[in-house]
């Protein structure tokens, strides 16, 4: 398997499923000797749409954006810690823009062999923006996509 999955990009969005995906990416990296990059996208594209639709006033949009950035930093730091616990270095990227566009662009930049994402959670609605971005990423990604089930990730991570 060496060389097959050398550059993994894991999409972190704050959901339990994305943390499971990070654990699985860490386990894969340990097995293959590859690298892991964890990315969180502050969805400024949606914030702009909400402001233009007058659902948010400018100040609310800015506050929400800062809140998302703080949340993203928290989750990226957590992924670094769970990587460190298994002696796997995790690079992080805080991105701003549309989720799909930024993830695809980063995958191209780092020449990712695989984008690792959490499974589609059962309780999310059909109109869930995270679910929609996952579908879009899968459609336009420049590399393979691995959708991880939480149980499988826990087993793989604990086995390290």
């Amino acid at each position: 398997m060496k060389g097959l999955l050398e550059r993994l990009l894991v999409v972190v969005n704050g959901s339990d499923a994305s943390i499971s995906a990070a654990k699985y990416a860490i386990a894969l990296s340990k097995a293959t000797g590859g690298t892991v990059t964890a990315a969180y996208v502050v969805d400024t594209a949606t914030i702009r749409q909400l402001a233009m639709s007058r659902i948010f006033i400018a100040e609310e949009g800015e506050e929400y954006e800062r809140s998302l950035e703080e949340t993203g930093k928290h989750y990226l730091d957590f992924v670094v810690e769970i990587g460190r616990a298994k002696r796997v270095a995790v690079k992080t990227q805080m991105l701003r823009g549309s989720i799909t566009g930024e993830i695809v662009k980063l995958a191209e930049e780092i020449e990712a062999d695989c984008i690792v994402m959490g499974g589609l959670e059962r309780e999310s609605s059909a109109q869930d923006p995270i679910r929609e971005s996952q579908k879009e990423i899968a459609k336009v990604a420049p590399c393979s996509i691995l959708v991880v089930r939480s149980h499988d990730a826990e087993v793989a991570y604990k086995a390290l």
Side-chain angles (χ1 to χ4, degrees):
M1 267 212 16
K2 185 122 175 101
L4 186 59
L5 296 172
E6 285 197 27
R7 291 172 301 278
L8 302 172
L9 172 58
V10 62
V11 180
V12 178
N13 58 29
S15 68
D16 289 342
S18 74
I19 297 302
S20 292
K23 288 179 178 179
Y24 200 85
I26 289 164
L28 268 176
S29 172
K30 188 86 168 178
T32 64
T35 62
V36 176
T37 299
Y40 183 95
V41 181
V42 176
D43 189 1
T44 57
T46 298
I47 294 170
R48 273 195 298 278
Q49 284 179 338
L50 293 172
M52 289 172 52
S53 302
R54 303 203 190 277
I55 293 171
F56 276 167
I57 59 172
E59 293 81 23
E60 288 174 318
E62 291 167 9
E63 185 177 323
Y64 186 58
E65 192 172 326
R66 279 191 300 276
S67 173
L68 286 176
E69 193 167 326
E70 288 173 20
T71 299
K73 183 176 179 350
H74 169 77
Y75 282 108
L76 290 174
D77 289 346
F78 182 70
V79 173
V80 167
E81 286 302 313
I82 62 175
R84 188 175 294 136
K86 300 299 183 177
R87 292 183 166 78
V88 172
V90 177
K91 299 174 195 167
T92 61
Q93 290 281 325
M94 175 76 70
L95 306 168
R96 306 171 85 70
S98 81
I99 296 170
T100 302
E102 292 303 315
I103 292 297
V104 168
K105 185 166 70 172
L106 180 59
E108 291 169 346
E109 286 173 9
I110 68 169
E111 298 178 342
D113 297 310
C114 184
I115 298 173
V116 183
M117 297 188 293
L120 299 174
E121 298 176 68
R122 289 189 183 127
E123 68 273 3
S124 57
S125 72
Q127 298 299 318
D128 180 3
I130 292 172
R131 178 180 281 197
E132 290 305 312
S133 66
Q134 286 177 319
K135 288 179 187 176
E136 288 301 311
I137 290 167
K139 287 180 189 175
V140 298
C143 57
S144 295
I145 302 291
L146 177 59
V147 179
V148 177
R149 293 192 175 275
S150 293
H151 173 74
D152 296 341
E154 291 300 321
V155 169
Y157 183 79
K158 287 179 181 176
L160 295 178

